[in-house]
């Protein structure tokens, strides 16, 4: 037996008992003939006291950081207590000890504030995982996992595994592929998600499925993405959108209650995709703060019409506004007294290539209700007042205005809003705001291929009222410049996203479940009949054997954990993550394979 207790367990009520502890040496402190050691394990830290009588033995076994130690001793009251440590009232008076294993000096200190940079921490991830900061994230991940499983189990969902070696049907992201030795020249793909399998399970009658499952996407890794990531993947039969929203609103609330003790009692706000784009400039609005966009002029197609609210700004001779497709503003609360330097810095910020604006206009809404602006030359005090009132600005606010082409300008104002929200402390990571975004467009236009692509995925059903538009119109886009006028541009999807603090944490849809409509969808996406059969014949076939109406959702498990844990980064919530270049720094993967393996796989490399 190595231990009777853990290093996080003993309290003053245990004083006097004999115990055995085992763990890692965090620190060694010598005071004359007495030695103190902090012993650490997964559960905490306990102070050990080695008296004079153990000195010879200690000298023979010079103990260093991260040695694995086992001690026998008596729980004693500590003379100088440590209120910051749960075990801080006691220490173990050691009677005997043995070194179970030695350690070389670790490359960084195993403490909350480590001296290890990111690369070093990833290379020695097994040491990094010993740190309390990281361990607490891994524990939180497990708590979210357990809560999700409990809730889903209670609601009759069944965890059913689906295969990892599947067929490559790229649509959206790139597939990771795996060569097949037994079928020379052929490849499996790793699933981007279990989407078609969960739909097949519905056809098989398993009406409530879930899986906490790895998904693989060979994407260029934008900040904070992982090539393999985990989803809480769910599917239900005989449901409409409303059933799904209720079930999974229940899931997220249960997770918050179990993991954070938070009663999220409000019903989640439901916002249409159009309202999200119109008011926040993106489809995953951070509603922890207001600062909504004022659309002074816009080419955005809201409510099926191209809206222009330009009267306020037109005709003043200010070419930048007159000639722009879109002019949008935000009123930044309490910032009317920003210095010239601060405003210049913000202007430079929007001019960065990632944002891509030419410049920025500002209006200061002074406390005395006068206005001072960078466009005073063109706009009378009266006009500025009207603009301020349209932008819902109050005395003391600073109005920032961007102008340019629709897509870029809307994106830019959205980024600026988030940046200022961050700088002004409106995006607190211990505050949680959830909402549903609904009524997405079913299709997106791909300029590159001059065709429609599925905004969610090709199995998403159109809104019932839009099915006619889909069936009765030819998907071909005759005039690319006018694609917005094509009837397909207005078709709405029966799809929904769950948004948490400005992040899409879940997304799903009601599915197509009739073969004809699914075929029509593939045609709409530019697939020939043969191609559709080759890629998805199994699904089309299954739909002929009594497929029930069904729908589902998948949550991004890593991100959900990170946000609940109050962090923006997902890597610290994954035990063994990859770096931004998709490399595993610890394993040094990906790596080359040897000639023999290549030969067995009938693969010849064109790079050496
Ligand atoms: N499979 C989808 C995805 O990975 C989610 C869903 O529609 O259920 O985005």
């Amino acid at each position: 037996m190595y231990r009777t207790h853990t290093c996080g367990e003993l309290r003053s009520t245990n004083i006097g008992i004999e115990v055995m502890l085992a763990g890692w040496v965090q620190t060694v402190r010598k005071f004359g003939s007495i030695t103190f050691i902090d012993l650490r394990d997964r559960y905490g830290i306990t102070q050990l006291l080695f008296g004079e009588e153990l000195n010879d033995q200690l000298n023979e076994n010079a103990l260093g950081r991260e040695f694995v130690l086992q001690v026998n001793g008596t729980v004693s009251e500590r003379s100088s207590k440590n209120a910051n440590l749960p075990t801080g009232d006691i220490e173990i008076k050691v009677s005997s000890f043995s070194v179970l294993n030695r350690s070389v000096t670790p490359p960084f200190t195993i403490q909350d504030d480590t001296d290890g940079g990111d690369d070093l921490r990833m290379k020695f991830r097994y040491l990094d995982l010993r740190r309390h900061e990281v361990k607490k994230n891994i524990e939180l991940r497990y708590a979210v996992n357990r809560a999700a499983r409990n809730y889903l189990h209670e609601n009759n969902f069944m965890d059913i595994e689906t295969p990892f070696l599947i067929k490559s049907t790229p649509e959206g992201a790139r597939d990771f592929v795996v060569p097949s030795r037994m079928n020379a020249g052929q490849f499996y793909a790793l699933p981007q998600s279990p989407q078609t399998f969960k739909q097949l399970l519905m056809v098989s009658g398993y009406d409530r499925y879930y899986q906490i499952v790895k998904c693989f996407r060979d994407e260029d890794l934008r900040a904070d993405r992982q090539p393999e990531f985990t989803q809480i993947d769910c599917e239900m039969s005989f449901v409409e959108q409303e059933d799904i929203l209720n079930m999974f609103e229940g899931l997220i609330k249960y997770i918050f209650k179990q993991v954070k003790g938070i009663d999220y009692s409000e019903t989640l706000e439901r916002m249409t995709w159009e309202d999200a784009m119109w008011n926040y400039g993106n489809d995953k609005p951070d509603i922890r703060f207001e600062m909504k966009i004022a659309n002074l002029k816009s080419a955005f197609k809201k409510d099926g019409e191209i809206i222009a609210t330009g009267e306020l700004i037109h005709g003043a001779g200010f070419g930048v506004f007159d000639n722009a497709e879109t002019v949008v503003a935000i009123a930044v609360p309490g910032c009317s007294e920003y210095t010239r330097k601060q405003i210049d810095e913000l202007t430079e910020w929007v001019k960065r290539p990632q944002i891509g604006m030419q410049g920025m206009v500002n209006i200061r809404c002074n406390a005395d209700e006068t206005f001072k602006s960078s466009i005073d030359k063109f706009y009378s005090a009266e006009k500025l007042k009207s603009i301020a009132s349209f932008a819902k600005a109050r005395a003391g606010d600073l109005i920032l205005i961007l102008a340019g082409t629709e897509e870029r300008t809307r994106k830019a104002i959205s980024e600026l809003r988030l940046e200022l929200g961050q700088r002004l402390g409106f995006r607190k990571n211990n505050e949680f705001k959830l909402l549903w975004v609904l009524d997405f467009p079913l299709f997106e236009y791909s300029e590159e291929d001059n065709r429609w692509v599925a905004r969610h995925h090709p199995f998403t059903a159109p809104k019932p009222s839009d099915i006619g538009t889909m069936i009765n119109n030819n998907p071909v886009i005759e005039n690319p410049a006018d694609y917005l006028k094509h009837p397909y541009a207005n078709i709405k999807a029966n799809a929904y996203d769950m948004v948490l603090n400005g992040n899409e944490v879940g997304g799903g849809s009601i599915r197509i479940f009739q073969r004809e409509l699914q075929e029509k969808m593939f045609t709409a996406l530019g697939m020939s009949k043969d191609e559709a059969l080759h890629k998805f014949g199994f699904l089309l076939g299954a739909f002929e054997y009594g497929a029930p109406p069904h729908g589902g959702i998948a949550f991004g498990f890593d991100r959900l954990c990170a946000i609940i844990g109050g962090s923006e980064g997902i890597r610290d919530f994954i035990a063994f993550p990859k770096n931004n270049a998709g490399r595993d720094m610890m394993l040094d993967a990906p790596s080359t394979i040897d000639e023999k393996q290549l030969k067995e796989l009938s693969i010849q490399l064109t790079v050496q």
Side-chain angles (χ1 to χ4, degrees):
M1 177 154 113
Y2 286 108
R3 58 182 177 183
T4 54
H5 295 80
T6 70
C7 296
E9 205 178 340
L10 295 165
R11 301 285 184 273
S12 46
T13 47
N14 304 109
I15 287 171
I17 63 168
E18 293 287 315
V19 295
M20 294 167 82
L21 295 186
W24 286 263
V25 173
Q26 169 108 358
T27 52
V28 182
R29 300 184 303 279
K30 261 188 163 336
F31 290 100
S33 55
I34 292 176
T35 304
F36 290 103
I37 285 181
D38 281 346
L39 195 68
R40 168 185 13 88
D41 67 7
R42 180 183 140 194
Y43 306 91
I45 289 179
T46 297
Q47 177 164 292
L48 310 176
L49 179 128
F50 293 73
E52 199 171 354
E53 67 286 0
L54 293 170
N55 260 347
D56 289 348
Q57 215 186 323
L58 271 180
N59 287 339
E60 272 163 38
N61 290 284
L63 295 179
R65 281 194 283 140
E66 303 309 317
F67 276 46
V68 187
L69 197 63
Q70 194 252 325
V71 300
N72 299 313
T74 316
V75 182
S76 321
E77 183 168 5
R78 242 162 104 157
S79 52
S80 61
K81 304 200 169 32
N82 181 350
N84 296 326
L85 217 56
T87 60
D89 285 353
I90 57 104
E91 63 196 1
I92 309 300
K93 180 137 186 15
V94 177
S95 52
S96 65
F97 72 93
S98 62
V99 176
L100 300 179
N101 211 342
R102 302 167 60 81
S103 168
V104 295
T105 308
F108 50 84
T109 53
I110 315 284
Q111 284 168 359
D112 285 2
D113 291 321
T114 177
D115 49 3
D118 237 26
D119 283 355
L120 204 59
R121 286 178 44 214
M122 289 304 141
K123 184 160 181 291
F124 295 91
R125 183 63 167 171
Y126 49 88
L127 295 179
D128 198 31
L129 284 164
R130 284 186 192 165
R131 291 171 54 229
H132 175 68
E133 274 299 300
V134 184
K135 190 191 66 200
K136 133 175 154 253
N137 297 341
I138 302 296
E139 283 172 349
L140 180 136
R141 184 182 175 104
Y142 179 56
V144 176
N145 183 316
R146 228 173 42 224
R149 287 185 188 283
N150 279 348
Y151 178 87
L152 292 167
H153 177 76
E154 288 305 313
N155 282 285
N156 256 344
F157 285 79
M158 239 169 111
D159 178 347
I160 306 175
E161 287 163 83
T162 52
F164 276 173
L165 295 177
I166 66 166
K167 185 185 175 84
S168 181
T169 55
E171 177 49 47
R174 235 174 256 117
D175 282 337
F176 279 104
V177 294
V178 181
S180 164
R181 181 181 57 81
M182 289 191 291
N183 303 276
Q186 297 190 345
F187 294 81
Y188 300 101
L190 301 179
Q192 297 190 18
S193 81
Q195 184 61 37
T196 47
F197 290 101
K198 64 175 174 175
Q199 292 193 241
L200 291 173
L201 286 169
M202 296 304 112
V203 179
S204 308
Y206 297 87
D207 66 339
R208 290 184 174 198
Y209 143 96
Y210 87 99
Q211 202 179 175
I212 299 186
V213 64
K214 275 281 166 76
C215 301
F216 306 86
R217 294 183 193 173
D218 187 6
E219 291 172 302
D220 294 333
L221 297 175
R222 275 180 278 143
D224 208 29
R225 288 276 180 102
Q226 291 277 305
E228 54 175 315
F229 59 95
T230 306
Q231 285 188 345
I232 309 175
D233 189 45
C234 309
E235 196 76 6
M236 302 170 80
S237 291
F238 306 114
V239 285
E240 294 176 334
Q241 174 169 295
E242 192 61 31
D243 303 307
I244 303 253
L245 300 190
N246 289 333
M247 177 61 73
F248 293 98
E249 193 160 325
L251 170 67
I252 197 80
K253 288 179 174 173
Y254 184 81
I255 290 175
F256 268 106
K257 177 80 190 139
Q258 296 300 311
V259 177
K260 299 287 285 184
I262 293 176
D263 268 315
Y264 200 100
S265 51
E266 307 149 51
T267 302
L268 267 59
E269 183 179 339
R270 296 179 181 191
M271 193 184 290
T272 64
W273 173 82
E274 280 184 343
D275 281 344
M277 296 304 289
W278 187 247
N279 292 320
Y280 300 93
N282 72 60
D283 58 8
K284 40 181 189 319
D286 187 343
I287 56 165
R288 280 173 295 181
F289 64 109
E290 276 279 315
M291 232 198 270
K292 285 187 190 164
I293 297 170
N295 293 280
L296 293 165
K297 178 180 179 184
S298 173
F300 181 66
K301 216 174 168 203
K302 190 172 183 292
D303 300 330
E305 276 181 56
I306 297 185
I307 296 184
T309 49
E311 341 47 89
L312 278 175
I313 51 170
H314 267 294
F318 185 47
V320 173
F321 285 0
D322 287 352
N323 301 328
E325 195 173 48
T326 289
V327 182
V328 278
I330 48 172
V332 191
C335 292
S336 67
E337 288 181 10
Y338 262 24
T339 61
R340 179 67 193 265
K341 197 164 153 223
Q342 281 173 302
I343 290 184
D344 284 351
E345 187 271 326
L346 277 176
T347 310
E348 286 311 308
W349 193 90
V350 298
K351 283 182 169 176
R352 296 175 321 148
Q354 304 94 300
I355 307 291
M357 290 285 97
Q358 304 280 326
M360 186 166 71
V361 166
N362 68 77
I363 305 175
R364 295 169 194 274
C365 309
N366 300 323
D368 62 2
E369 313 234 319
T370 60
F371 299 92
K372 175 98 196 79
S373 116
S374 54
I375 44 170
D376 279 350
K377 266 213 304 269
F378 301 98
Y379 293 91
S380 64
E382 206 46 43
K383 266 273 166 167
L384 292 178
K385 190 170 178 185
S386 313
I387 295 176
S389 134
F390 185 77
K392 300 204 168 52
R394 298 205 200 122
D397 289 358
L398 173 69
I399 301 175
L400 299 175
I401 310 179
L402 298 178
T405 52
E406 170 62 35
E407 210 171 311
R408 176 174 295 193
T409 311
R410 190 160 293 279
K411 189 157 185 297
I413 197 82
S414 156
E415 295 288 335
L416 182 64
R417 173 182 175 272
L418 290 172
E419 174 70 17
L420 284 160
Q422 190 72 34
R423 292 187 190 187
L424 296 169
F426 298 153
R427 303 175 72 192
K428 298 190 186 70
N429 62 8
N430 58 359
E431 187 189 348
F432 301 100
K433 278 281 181 204
L434 286 155
L435 77 150
W436 289 109
V437 176
L438 308 170
D439 301 349
F440 287 86
L442 185 63
F443 297 107
E444 246 168 27
Y445 174 66
S446 156
E447 213 171 316
E448 205 181 319
D449 302 329
N450 187 38
R451 68 167 176 97
W452 300 108
V453 290
R455 199 166 193 291
H456 186 47
H457 54 53
F459 316 105
T460 296
K463 289 262 174 228
S465 53
D466 286 342
I467 292 179
T469 313
M470 186 164 148
I471 293 178
N472 299 326
N473 286 284
N474 182 347
V476 172
I477 304 156
E478 304 283 357
N479 186 357
D482 259 351
Y483 77 90
L484 274 177
K485 298 213 174 103
H486 192 289
Y488 271 39
N490 286 329
I491 299 179
K492 292 276 186 281
N494 222 343
Y496 29 79
D497 276 359
M498 188 188 280
V499 175
L500 170 58
N501 290 2
N503 293 275
E504 179 204 323
V505 288
S509 58
I510 296 298
R511 324 297 184 189
I512 297 171
F513 67 103
Q514 308 92 334
R515 177 170 184 143
E516 304 72 46
L517 192 57
Q518 188 63 67
E519 279 176 335
K520 180 77 193 175
M521 173 56 109
F522 290 141
T523 313
L525 300 175
M527 252 185 243
S528 69
K529 271 214 151 56
D530 279 354
E531 194 183 353
L533 272 180
H534 173 70
K535 286 184 173 167
F536 298 110
F538 62 96
L539 188 71
L540 294 170
F543 282 178
E544 293 195 82
Y545 292 93
H550 61 284
I553 190 167
F555 289 87
F557 182 57
D558 310 291
R559 179 136 350 255
L560 183 62
C561 294
I563 301 171
I564 293 178
S567 160
E568 291 288 315
I570 63 173
R571 270 203 274 163
D572 275 339
F573 291 78
I574 299 173
F576 297 104
K578 311 257 184 298
N579 75 4
N580 283 343
R583 292 200 72 80
D584 185 315
M585 300 292 280
M586 185 181 70
L587 303 177
D588 195 21
S591 62
T592 52
I593 55 175
D594 62 37
E595 271 305 316
K596 184 164 168 272
Q597 282 173 296
L598 284 171
K599 224 168 148 185
E600 277 175 351
L601 296 168
S602 316
I603 288 181
Q604 224 171 7
L605 297 182
T606 56
V607 284
Q608 285 308 323

